[in-house]
Amino acid sequence: MEDFSPPNTARPLIPGKTKSLSRALSFACDELQSFRSCLRWLCVDQFTYLSASLSWFVFILLAIAVPAISHFFLICSSCDSRHRQPYDAVVQLSLSSVATLSFLFLSGFARKYGLKRFLFLDRLVDESETVRRNYTVQLHRSLQLCSIFVVPCFVADATYKIWWYSSGASQIPFLGNAIVSDTITCLLELLSWLYRTTLFFLVCVLFRLICYLQILRLQDFAKVFQDDSDVASMLAEHLRIRRHLRIISHRFRVFILWSLILITMSQFTSLLMTTKSHADINIFNAGELALCSITLMTGLMVILRSATKITHKAQAITCLAAKWHVCATIDFFGMADADIMTNQNSRAAFPEVVNLESDGEDPGDEEDDVDNTKLNPAHAFSTISFQKRQALVNYFENNRAGITVYGFMLDRTWLQLIFGIELSLVLWLLRKTIGIS
């Protein structure tokens, strides 16, 4: 994997911030070592023939061979009701399918782009100090966030597996010594679960991290509407952001689409099997199925929330530009009417506007530099003509940015459509199995 070192010819856009940039890049370099170590432990890096062979061997062993052996040889159909695993096939196929998707995605893009380029760290030299600082902080938190998702699921599954093997040692098939055989098998199953869930959550967290960088850039871009900026520079910066969003969409569209398909199929299969009239459901035989569903749905929610959030922020730029244009127009006509008004009434461009921040209500984290209800200061548009402002607003209205999957924008409307379709399928399935109309 590439070493993280900023290009010698790169210069920060903010004069006098060379030391801050160096500290940010050094910090990011340290965090990349953590990501590289994580990829190395997962055996995802395939930059040499030896590492590629080891990577595929570990993947085939932990994502395919161990789950298959566990299902076909340890199914324990003769065990009591608490040790039978009627839903093991769904669990193993669900985790192995998303792990395969994640493995192919991570290994392919890590080999093609390298970690630095994949995380857009090579573009940080073009960003402001605020963006660099906040992104490196978020980079530091990403692996912690991944562990927050993985560790509780692993502990829960480890508790279940240890109980299952220890309480049913005499019933579970074994080779040679029962204790040694069950111990090795239990460890392999736990490693397989940890490997598959970590792969999936790592891709989800990396997607969230990349989206967070674009949100920071959008928030930084929104500040141009508070200054007397040039329309051409505003257009160029927005085109650069749109290009990066298009790159992210192109890289992740296959993963997002297939994650949605595979997880949806897994959930509907689980629902179909557990709603049968003769289904035997209790915490012992269906607990692992519930844990698998929680794991997959958590990762999917991380992906969809990150995509819709950045799309919402990108489309909020249109509202911000329209408000900026309105404020400029009102200010212009206010100045034109100043000759027929008193000096007292002509001191402010908005004499009748109530202070929106004085009502004592806290809007929470829904408002930021991109999406807010604050008025723009008069100096932010004092030198920009009406035609230029109108042209810029028209551009924003007809060129909406965001995360797309094969042309479909991942926004809140799209999520509502997906929710409606899946709810209809769930109700149809329940009507076929338990008679809900």
Side-chain angles (χ1 to χ4, degrees):
M1 198 165 290
E2 296 177 339
D3 292 331
F4 182 81
S5 55
N8 295 330
T9 58
R11 296 181 180 178
L13 296 182
I14 303 177
K17 299 298 183 181
T18 305
K19 294 183 178 179
S20 298
L21 174 61
S22 300
R23 287 195 298 268
L25 294 179
S26 176
F27 185 83
C29 180
D30 295 338
E31 294 311 315
L32 273 184
Q33 296 299 327
S34 301
F35 275 99
R36 289 194 181 99
S37 300
C38 181
L39 294 180
R40 193 176 299 113
W41 278 103
L42 289 173
C43 297
V44 179
D45 54 334
Q46 300 180 5
F47 294 95
T48 63
Y49 290 110
L50 179 61
S51 62
S53 301
L54 178 63
S55 175
W56 280 100
F57 172 77
V58 172
F59 168 73
I60 293 174
L61 175 65
L62 296 180
I64 299 178
V66 171
I69 293 173
S70 171
H71 175 70
F72 290 108
F73 293 96
L74 300 177
I75 194 63
C76 196
S77 57
S78 60
C79 294
D80 57 66
S81 60
R82 297 198 306 174
H83 289 82
R84 283 198 295 266
Q85 297 179 311
Y87 311 110
D88 184 69
V90 179
V91 173
Q92 303 299 347
L93 286 175
S94 300
L95 290 179
S96 293
S97 61
V98 296
T100 301
L101 178 65
S102 303
F103 173 80
L104 295 176
F105 177 85
L106 271 180
S107 58
F109 279 94
R111 183 175 61 253
K112 183 177 181 180
Y113 298 107
L115 192 58
K116 179 179 69 173
R117 185 180 171 192
F118 180 69
L119 296 178
F120 291 91
L121 290 172
D122 57 332
R123 308 293 180 87
L124 279 185
V125 293
D126 298 328
E127 309 299 339
S128 66
E129 182 184 0
T130 302
V131 173
R132 292 194 300 266
R133 182 178 62 252
N134 291 333
Y135 187 55
T136 50
V137 170
Q138 191 66 26
L139 186 67
H140 173 69
R141 296 177 52 193
S142 294
L143 285 181
Q144 297 179 0
L145 182 63
C146 185
S147 63
I148 289 175
F149 290 136
V150 172
V151 171
C153 296
F154 176 72
V155 170
D157 188 66
T159 303
Y160 171 78
K161 287 296 183 184
I162 292 174
W163 167 83
W164 193 77
Y165 277 99
S166 60
S167 61
S170 60
Q171 307 177 56
I172 302 172
F174 60 89
L175 297 175
N177 187 286
I179 298 178
V180 176
S181 176
D182 289 348
T183 301
I184 295 176
T185 307
C186 180
L187 289 176
L188 286 175
E189 283 203 75
L190 290 179
L191 285 176
S192 175
W193 180 283
L194 180 63
Y195 177 79
R196 289 179 290 176
T197 55
T198 303
L199 275 178
F200 179 57
F201 277 124
L202 183 59
V203 179
C204 298
V205 170
L206 287 178
F207 178 70
R208 177 184 178 274
L209 176 64
I210 295 174
C211 289
Y212 185 80
L213 172 61
Q214 307 310 313
I215 292 176
L216 289 175
R217 296 183 60 200
L218 286 170
Q219 293 175 348
D220 196 59
F221 172 71
K223 295 178 182 178
V224 301
F225 294 101
Q226 303 296 326
D227 301 322
D228 192 6
S229 303
D230 178 60
V231 171
S233 61
M234 297 165 67
L235 177 61
E237 178 62 21
H238 189 265
L239 287 173
R240 192 166 70 98
I241 295 176
R242 283 192 63 206
R243 171 177 169 76
H244 286 185
L245 291 176
R246 187 169 297 176
I247 291 173
I248 296 172
S249 301
H250 180 75
R251 291 179 181 177
F252 282 90
R253 61 184 180 180
V254 174
F255 179 80
I256 294 175
L257 179 61
W258 278 103
S259 294
L260 182 61
I261 293 174
L262 293 175
I263 294 175
T264 300
M265 292 175 58
S266 170
Q267 299 310 300
F268 278 105
T269 304
S270 302
L271 182 63
L272 178 63
M273 296 184 66
T274 55
T275 52
K276 290 181 178 179
S277 57
H278 59 275
D280 181 19
I281 303 175
N282 54 63
I283 189 62
F284 301 103
N285 58 26
E288 198 170 23
L289 177 64
L291 183 60
C292 173
S293 299
I294 293 173
T295 300
L296 298 181
M297 289 303 298
T298 301
L300 183 62
M301 289 300 104
V302 171
I303 296 173
L304 295 181
R305 184 181 182 276
S306 300
T308 54
K309 185 175 182 179
I310 190 176
T311 301
H312 173 72
K313 295 297 182 183
Q315 295 182 355
I317 293 293
T318 303
C319 178
L320 187 63
K323 182 180 65 175
W324 168 75
H325 183 36
V326 168
C327 293
T329 305
I330 294 176
D331 181 74
F332 173 79
F333 285 104
M335 296 298 295
D337 296 338
D339 294 336
I340 59 174
M341 298 174 65
T342 62
N343 291 332
Q344 181 178 1
N345 292 332
S346 63
R347 288 176 182 174
F350 307 97
E352 300 297 331
V353 174
V354 180
N355 185 5
L356 299 177
E357 300 179 2
S358 62
D359 54 4
E361 296 292 337
D362 182 16
D365 57 357
E366 294 297 323
E367 288 198 1
D368 52 23
D369 291 332
V370 179
D371 191 6
N372 59 69
T373 56
K374 299 177 183 178
L375 297 175
N376 294 85
H379 64 79
F381 36 73
S382 58
T383 62
I384 302 177
S385 65
F386 177 88
Q387 290 80 4
K388 289 183 178 181
R389 297 195 307 268
Q390 184 63 44
L392 187 64
V393 172
N394 289 339
Y395 162 77
F396 284 134
E397 290 176 346
N398 293 282
N399 295 272
R400 295 185 179 273
I403 300 297
T404 60
V405 175
Y406 294 101
F408 294 94
M409 189 73 69
L410 293 183
D411 54 11
R412 294 173 181 176
T413 302
W414 186 85
L415 282 187
Q416 293 171 359
L417 175 62
I418 293 297
F419 175 78
I421 294 175
E422 298 211 0
L423 180 62
S424 300
L425 292 175
V426 168
L427 293 178
W428 173 82
L429 183 61
L430 292 178
R431 183 167 61 88
K432 293 294 184 181
T433 53
I434 61 178
I436 292 181
S437 59

